[in-house]
Amino acid sequence: MGLQAFHPAVSRWFAAELGEPSAPQRDGWPAILRGEHALIAAPTGSGKTLAAFLCAIDSLVKEGLESALPDETRVLYISPLKALGNDIEKNLAAPLLGVARELATMGLPCVPIRTFVRSGDTSARERSQAQKRPPHIVVTTPESLYLLLTSESGRRMLRTVRTVIIDEIHAFFSDRRGAHLALSIERLAALTQRPLQRIGLSATQRPIEEVARFLLGSESTPCVVVDHGHRRDLRLLLELPRSPLEAVMAHEVWDEIYDRLAELISAHRTTLVFVNTRRLAERVSKHLADRLGADLVTAHHGSLSREHRHRAEARLKAGELRVLVATASLELGIDIGSVELVCQIGSTRSIASLLQRIGRSGHRLGATPKGRLFALTRDQLVECAALVRAVGKGHLDEIKLRDWPLDIL
């Protein structure tokens, strides 16, 4: 399906800004516009999230042109990370603004569509405003959804939801957090005034049939699966220090790692360095700052304040930072501007995590992600070599659903 199914203001904005739809968008739109449940699997940077959101925006625009949009929440977007939620809210501003301009150009009235991020970072004042005048699109996390479902004001807001979008659904599939979210979705479905449309999105999900079952929950209606796989052309190399790797990384070998990182960063406009712990994020950012300058390097992880994290993301997007050292806080789907290179320090322990992290570079259609994987010990060297080989062969981890987590219930 092409853009002809959308309101002219929506299709004109899309064509002017993005050109032709990607395959996941083209194949996902028919089911979503028909109101069916849908699961879209496609590589990072292929426009999955916009595939879901454009249908929601189109529906709100068409309804708002027929009669004034009521102050009701229609779309609930759930992300595994607070940073991803904030990023989506910012990126929603562009299509909403663009569609509003197209409506004005066509001589049609403006349809004001309001969005709201509800997470642990949201202030009491912002929460109060949303309760008084519910937004049309709510962006949230599983934990904040649970809190909304436990309050009377939150339940009033959620009662009118028609579509729930679960992004990076693979991140919820196999642990108790996912079981907790599944329970919240069932509570939401019991609360809403009409049947709830469920849309799942991810670049790394296997087996996809089981993920579809997880998305549907107690729903008996089938789910349309749009599977464009996870494979994407990328340039991934394994980096080794000059000194032999031992069972534990020696201090002088760390210096070799920092020097090589600084060399790679200097050869690229923007670099994202992933580490596996918050402590290591601080340590690596300090050593890189010593080599490159404190104003060009900063860290990003969950223990830092909301203001610091947002400022770091904005500075990287604006080209003010050369390198951002992050934990999993920036792993999933976040658009942090034009990142040229991703360096992963240590083994990710999973193919999906490596693909997600390397996919932060070249995060747009037609671009080629570029990554370097640094092994830190002899054991990690074996793991890292296996990861590079698996990525090259197009393999993906099989995620297993946790059965009967009665403690969550």
Side-chain angles (χ1 to χ4, degrees), residues 6 22 34 73 82 102 108 125 138 155 209 217 219 251 254 268-269 296 317 319 344 357 367-368 392 394:
F6 296 98
S22 66
R34 288 194 302 266
T73 298
K82 289 187 289 186
E102 293 294 344
L108 295 171
R125 177 174 161 275
V138 171
R155 290 171 67 81
E209 299 79 11
E219 270 288 307
H251 178 74
W254 269 114
H268 297 84
R269 193 175 69 83
L296 299 179
K317 275 189 177 181
Q344 166 64 38
R357 294 183 179 193
T368 301

Side-chain angles (χ1 to χ4, degrees), residues 65-231:
L65 290 173
E66 290 178 7
S67 59
L69 272 180
D71 292 334
E72 293 179 354
T73 298
R74 296 293 174 77
V75 181
L76 182 69
Y77 169 92
I78 301 168
S79 99
L81 299 175
K82 289 187 289 186
L84 180 53
N86 289 317
D87 180 73
I88 291 298
E89 198 269 344
K90 285 183 285 189
N91 288 331
L92 266 174
L96 291 175
L97 212 59
V99 170
R101 279 197 300 266
E102 293 294 344
L103 287 171
T105 302
M106 297 170 67
L108 295 171
C110 176
V111 180
I113 299 172
R114 298 188 309 282
T115 63
F116 170 62
V117 174
R118 175 63 163 86
S119 72
D121 287 339
T122 309
S123 68
R125 177 174 161 275
E126 290 169 324
R127 292 198 296 268
S128 176
Q129 287 176 338
Q131 289 166 7
K132 291 174 183 173
R133 194 183 183 202
H136 302 107
I137 301 174
V138 171
V139 176
T140 191
T141 60
E143 292 73 25
S144 289
L145 170 60
Y146 170 76
L147 293 175
L148 285 170
L149 285 165
T150 59
S151 71
E152 189 52 47
S153 59
R155 290 171 67 81
R156 275 198 306 272
M157 179 191 295
L158 296 174
R159 197 166 282 123
T160 54
V161 169
R162 297 181 181 179
T163 301
V164 58
I165 302 168
I166 306 177
D167 207 352
E168 307 293 356
I169 190 170
H170 74 278
F172 301 116
F173 185 70
S174 59
D175 60 19
R176 279 171 161 73
R177 190 182 188 212
H180 189 258
L181 171 62
L183 190 57
S184 291
I185 296 296
E186 295 306 318
R187 293 177 65 196
L188 176 67
L191 175 67
T192 53
Q193 299 167 348
R194 51 190 289 174
L196 189 66
Q197 182 186 27
R198 306 179 189 211
I199 301 171
L201 311 168
S202 178
T204 49
Q205 44 189 317
R206 173 177 174 262
I208 197 166
E209 299 79 11
E210 289 298 306
V211 179
R213 235 171 27 96
F214 174 77
L215 173 67
L216 288 176
S218 63
E219 270 288 307
S220 56
T221 314
C223 172
V224 175
V225 176
V226 177
D227 187 3
H228 283 276
H230 66 278
R231 294 197 71 168

